Amino acid sequence: MKITDRMTEILSFRALTQMIFDRRPVDRRTFSKIDYYRLQNILTRQHDPAYQVHAALMKQLRRLLLDAQVCPCKEVPDDLVTMNSVLRLQSQRGSTFTITLVYPRDVNWAERKCSVLSLMGLDLIGKRRGDGFLRHMHISEIIYQPESTGKFYV
C-alpha cells in the first residue's frame, strides 16, 4: 500500500468518525496542492501575535484542511475557487461585485482583495462556480484562476 493511499484512508476514516460523533456535516472541499501547503503554513503561525485575532477562523481553516481533498496543481478544475482567484459574486437580489481571494498579508479592501482568513474567504475557498455561500450569495463566475493559466506558484 502506498503512503498516499494510506493517508487517503486515514482522512476518510477521520471524516467518517467526525460525522458519527460530531453530528455535523463534513464540508469536503478541494484544494490545489500548493494552496493546501501554504494554508497549512499559515496554521503553523497560530501563536504569532499578528494571527491571534484570527484564532476562531484558524480553527475553522484547520477543520477544512483536515477534511480536504487535495488536487495536483496541473489538474485543478477551471470552476474551482483557489487562492488568488478573481471571482464575480452575486446576491439573491441580483447585485454583483468582484473580489480577489488572497492570503492575509495581501489584504486590501480598497482593491477588493479578501483574505482567506475571513468569514467570506473561508466560505469561498475550495468551492465551485455556482455554489452558494454566506446563505444569500453565490459564485456566478470565476474571472481568473491562476492554475488555469499555468501560474501554479502565484
Side-chain angles (χ1 to χ4, degrees), residues 33-35 38 73-74 84 103 146-147 150-154:
K33 193 175 242 182
I34 193 73
D35 288 350
R38 286 180 178 172
C73 294
K74 292 183 180 181
N84 297 306
Y103 293 99
E147 291 82 1
K151 297 180 180 178
F152 304 114
Y153 302 104
V154 177

Side-chain angles (χ1 to χ4, degrees), residues 3 16 19 22 26 47 49 53 69 71 93 100 115 131 143 145-147 149-150:
I3 293 174
L16 181 63
M19 281 186 349
D22 288 353
V26 174
H47 300 295
V53 295
Q69 179 178 356
C71 180
R93 294 182 178 177
T100 304
S115 171
D131 285 352
I143 299 167
Q145 181 202 61
E147 291 82 1
T149 59

Side-chain angles (χ1 to χ4, degrees), residues 10-25:
I10 290 169
L11 288 176
S12 298
F13 179 73
R14 179 175 287 152
L16 181 63
T17 56
Q18 192 172 18
M19 281 186 349
I20 293 169
F21 296 110
D22 288 353
R23 302 277 189 219
R24 62 184 167 87

Side-chain angles (χ1 to χ4, degrees), residues 54-119:
H54 301 294
L57 296 170
M58 290 180 84
K59 185 176 180 181
Q60 189 175 349
L61 176 61
R62 179 175 288 108
R63 260 190 234 121
L64 282 176
L65 293 176
L66 276 174
D67 300 326
Q69 179 178 356
V70 180
C71 180
C73 294
K74 292 183 180 181
E75 297 174 16
V76 171
D78 293 358
D79 66 341
L80 183 70
V81 176
T82 61
M83 293 305 299
N84 297 306
S85 291
V86 179
L87 312 168
R88 180 164 291 121
L89 309 175
Q90 186 172 11
S91 72
Q92 286 178 343
R93 294 182 178 177
S95 58
T96 63
F97 60 98
T98 304
I99 66 156
T100 304
L101 187 62
V102 297
Y103 293 99
R105 68 178 180 272
D106 300 324
V107 171
N108 184 340
W109 281 106
E111 296 176 10
R112 296 203 179 210
K113 292 185 176 181
C114 174
S115 171
V116 70
L117 278 184
S118 66
L119 289 175

